[in-house]
Amino acid sequence: MSRAPLALTLGDPAGVGPELSLKAWRALRDEDLCFVVHGDPAPLMAAAQLLDLPRPELVSGPDEAQRVFSNFLPVIALEACQREAENAVRSIEAAVDAAKSGAASAVVTNPVSKSRLYEIGFAFPGHTEFVAHLTADLPMNGARGPVMMLSGGGLRTALVTIHTPLMAAIQSLTPEGVAHTARVVSDALKRDFGLARPRLAMAGLNPHAGENGALGHEELDILAPALEQLRSEGMTISGPLPPDTMFHEDARAAYDAAICLYHDQGLIPVKTLDFHGGVNITLGLPIIRTSPDHGTAFDIAGQGVARPDSLIAALRQADAMVQSRETAA
């Protein structure tokens, strides 16, 4: 394989990240992709013993990672910090640095605990915003995000607002913000998914998409101006559509991605369609970043029972996006 390995973060060392990393390696070791974990090796060594898998191999760089991948999970070791959340942050920083330098082709992030990150003074709502901050110094081809997109079960949903309380999310909606999100999604679908003319669908906010103002005015005051502007730019976008009818099978066939206005509006349909295999993708970054669509699962960590479906899907998705960017270049 000529392309650089994917950089996988450790996630919270006390969560399921170390276990999932090894299970994903076992599932993908014979495929035409390679990934290397950046982080403290100790949790990975313990997980290998738990799962009766070969001990991960410490490597110094991407070439060595590719040589050992079929036999061992490669790890670029980072010195352990006293607090697990600090280990998680350092792993993210190292993986992003590898992608920025070209030593990694993309970044895939294992789950972190936001509450633990906040305890050490972490200043970002989550992974999405932190990775965007770390890559802000790189030039961007297309509209810059970050925009969170979830993919699973044949559905892609992109969020205008992310980790924002619902009341604040609604109050923050503007025609400009909605339109910018759609531009980021459209550019990313062309660049990272190989879709020459993406078809987007805009979800409404209110029941029945407002019923022409009878059930709310956001569709008329915010979404309609955004849609008019986007269509004038040549974008193929429908809506605003009633959120209760736009996610069934026949409706999904009419668009490539749905623009959703708040967190649960976009995550509920994806998780309903593919709870175990959904992928979180950050759009509008100079680098590629994907993640499993679940949390740290502290309650089952260390038991060997965590399912790696979502991490496997995230690794495959990142690799496919790398190839799409190479083709488009």
Side-chain angles (χ1 to χ4, degrees):
M1 185 182 69
S2 59
R3 57 190 177 276
L6 307 171
L8 178 63
T9 70
L10 185 63
D12 192 298
V16 293
E19 175 185 336
L20 295 181
S21 300
L22 282 150
K23 288 182 175 179
W25 166 77
R26 180 174 59 189
L28 299 173
R29 57 190 293 187
D30 295 325
E31 294 193 12
D32 186 28
L33 63 78
C34 172
F35 62 87
V36 57
V37 180
H38 293 251
D40 176 14
L44 293 161
M45 299 296 182
Q49 184 174 6
L50 172 72
L51 299 171
D52 194 25
L53 289 172
R55 289 168 58 88
E57 185 83 2
L58 301 185
V59 298
S60 59
D63 292 341
E64 191 176 356
Q66 290 177 334
R67 285 197 299 271
V68 308
F69 188 76
S70 60
N71 296 308
F72 304 98
L73 172 65
V75 180
I76 294 179
L78 301 178
E79 184 178 351
C81 300
Q82 186 172 7
R83 302 181 73 172
E84 290 168 337
E86 293 173 343
N87 286 327
V89 172
R90 290 190 63 193
S91 178
I92 299 167
E93 292 171 337
V96 171
D97 283 345
K100 291 172 68 172
S101 71
S105 58
V107 172
V108 181
T109 56
N110 263 307
V112 294
S113 166
K114 293 183 180 64
S115 62
R116 291 191 179 194
L117 291 178
Y118 300 153
E119 288 174 0
I120 64 168
F122 189 72
F124 302 89
H127 262 130
T128 300
E129 298 84 358
F130 186 42
V131 176
H133 167 74
L134 293 174
T135 57
D137 59 329
L138 294 180
M140 180 69 210
N141 177 23
R144 185 180 286 271
V147 168
M148 179 188 290
M149 185 172 81
L150 287 300
S151 176
L155 173 65
R156 302 184 186 101
T157 60
L159 307 182
V160 176
T161 63
I162 307 177
H163 299 114
T164 308
L166 182 56
M167 185 70 73
I170 294 171
Q171 293 172 345
S172 72
L173 293 174
T174 65
E176 295 77 14
V178 171
H180 179 71
T181 298
R183 293 188 192 103
V184 172
V185 175
S186 180
D187 287 351
L189 290 176
K190 295 173 186 176
R191 179 183 59 246
D192 298 332
F193 293 84
L195 298 176
R197 188 169 178 80
R199 303 165 303 159
L200 303 184
M202 180 73 68
L205 176 68
N206 296 296
H208 302 194
E211 284 282 12
N212 200 32
L215 297 177
H217 286 266
E218 286 82 2
E219 284 78 10
L220 297 175
D221 298 341
I222 298 172
L223 302 187
L227 289 163
E228 181 180 2
Q229 176 60 38
L230 293 168
R231 288 168 184 149
S232 74
E233 297 170 8
M235 189 178 297
T236 301
I237 183 166
S238 58
L241 303 176
D244 63 339
T245 60
M246 66 180 291
F247 297 116
H248 66 83
E249 186 175 7
D250 290 343
R252 298 198 306 271
Y255 57 83
D256 300 305
I259 308 299
C260 298
L261 304 178
Y262 58 92
H263 185 276
D264 286 6
Q265 187 180 61
L267 270 67
I268 288 172
V270 170
K271 291 191 174 185
T272 300
L273 289 168
D274 191 2
F275 182 76
H276 294 292
V279 178
N280 181 346
I281 307 165
T282 305
L283 306 181
L285 295 181
I287 67 169
I288 292 166
R289 180 257 170 166
T290 68
S291 176
D293 185 27
H294 59 69
T296 52
F298 289 132
D299 56 325
I300 60 170
Q303 300 178 29
V305 299
R307 292 181 55 158
D309 309 48
S310 187
L311 179 57
I312 291 170
L315 289 159
R316 286 176 171 153
Q317 180 67 77
D319 191 61
M321 293 170 69
V322 170
Q323 295 182 64
S324 180
R325 286 197 182 187
E326 289 176 346
T327 300

